[in-house]
Amino acid sequence: MPRPSRESYGDQKPPYSYISLTAMAIWSSPERMLPLSEIYRFITDRFPYYRRNTQRWQNSLRHNLSFNDCFVKVPRRPDRPGKGAYWTLHPQAFDMFENGSLLRRRKRFKLQKGEKDNLNAELAALASFNRAFLARQAGAPPPPPSMPSGGLYSPPLCPQLSPEPAELPEPTAMTLLPQRKRAFTIEALLEPDSPRLSPSPPAPVLMPVPRLELSYVAAAQRYHAELLAAAHALRPCYLPPPPLPVA
DNA sequence: ACCTGTTTATCCATAC
DNA sequence: GTATGGATAAACAGGT
């Protein structure tokens, strides 16, 4: 069987699952997070096969995003309005493909109940924070954002009051470094012609990229730091509410 | 209206 | 053979 063309596999279906394709798209972005439309675009730009039957595969892709814990939906920043949220990869999901197959993972990445609850609480808090931010921008009184203690928005968060202007939140599910060795690398994924990626027989997708996890964390932290900076620019020390001056 | 996101169900392929 | 993962379809809700 002739080898597929280097970049796109032509009209052949690429040997990647939707999870792989989505991970590639996310990892190809500078911030390691993309809105759905950009994920679509990455895939159709790179793989002509997916320029047809878009309804079918896009439905599948959305299903995968929602269904798999490895994908995390991050609310949009209030200063970046648009349709849909951003999608990123859970930092603990890096070794999903460590058996080398991009079609079938060794094991589905599944968060434990508590982990999932924590993450959802933080993301809900982020969304709530964004709503409050927008409400304030619109001149309406902001609803009290529900911030879980120990979450992303626990004090000290005011950049002005912190010794470091860009002081970052406590480590959370979103910002913790993965503990184990990672084998799922975007550099490897983005090399479709690499021999180590040939799906049959499965070869390990091992290409050491030591700073990869740090890149992810840096992007996530930058995102949150920028969000807080934006909130701060609007009203200093938005969180927590400033104490009323004692008369 | 269209897009985004969630959920359920079913079928098939692959791993164990 | 069974369990699990992936692809697909479809219904539905909510947002822009």
Side-chain angles (χ1 to χ4, degrees), chain A residues 153-244:
Chain A
Y153 301 103
S154 307
L157 285 181
C158 172
Q160 226 173 34
L161 296 183
S162 303
E164 293 284 330
E167 180 169 333
L168 298 168
E170 293 293 308
T172 66
M174 285 290 290
T175 58
L176 281 174
L177 278 167
Q179 297 300 306
R180 285 184 291 162
K181 180 169 76 90
R182 303 304 171 196
F184 179 59
T185 69
I186 190 62
E187 282 78 356
L189 288 171
L190 289 173
E191 283 292 331
D193 206 29
S194 167
R196 74 187 75 219
L197 278 183
S198 59
S200 173
V205 185
L206 288 170
M207 188 180 280
V209 184
R211 308 296 295 177
L212 200 60
E213 301 90 342
L214 295 179
S215 302
Y216 172 87
V217 173
Q221 289 179 335
R222 195 164 54 241
Y223 168 85
H224 292 123
E226 286 176 16
L227 178 63
L228 290 166
H232 181 259
L234 199 68
R235 190 188 92 184
C237 297
Y238 180 76
L239 289 169
L244 292 172

Side-chain angles (χ1 to χ4, degrees), chain A residues 33 73-82 84-86 121-148 152-153 223-232 234 238-239:
Chain A
M33 56 180 83
K73 191 177 70 175
V74 182
R76 271 182 183 273
R77 292 164 46 152
D79 60 334
R80 284 191 201 171
Y86 279 83
E122 289 178 0
L123 294 169
L126 184 54
S128 168
F129 175 76
N130 286 354
R131 279 195 298 276
F133 184 97
L134 290 170
R136 170 156 284 279
Q137 265 190 329
S146 59
M147 298 297 171
L152 285 174
Y153 301 103
Y223 168 85
H224 292 123
E226 286 176 16
L227 178 63
L228 290 166
H232 181 259
L234 199 68
Y238 180 76
L239 289 169

Side-chain angles (χ1 to χ4, degrees), chain A residues 104-119:
Chain A
R104 188 182 169 92
R105 293 173 290 177
R106 173 181 49 84
K107 187 167 171 44
R108 177 172 288 168
F109 175 78
K110 208 73 192 162
L111 285 175
Q112 289 180 344
K113 178 83 167 68
E115 291 176 307
K116 197 166 184 173
D117 290 345
N118 287 341
L119 183 56

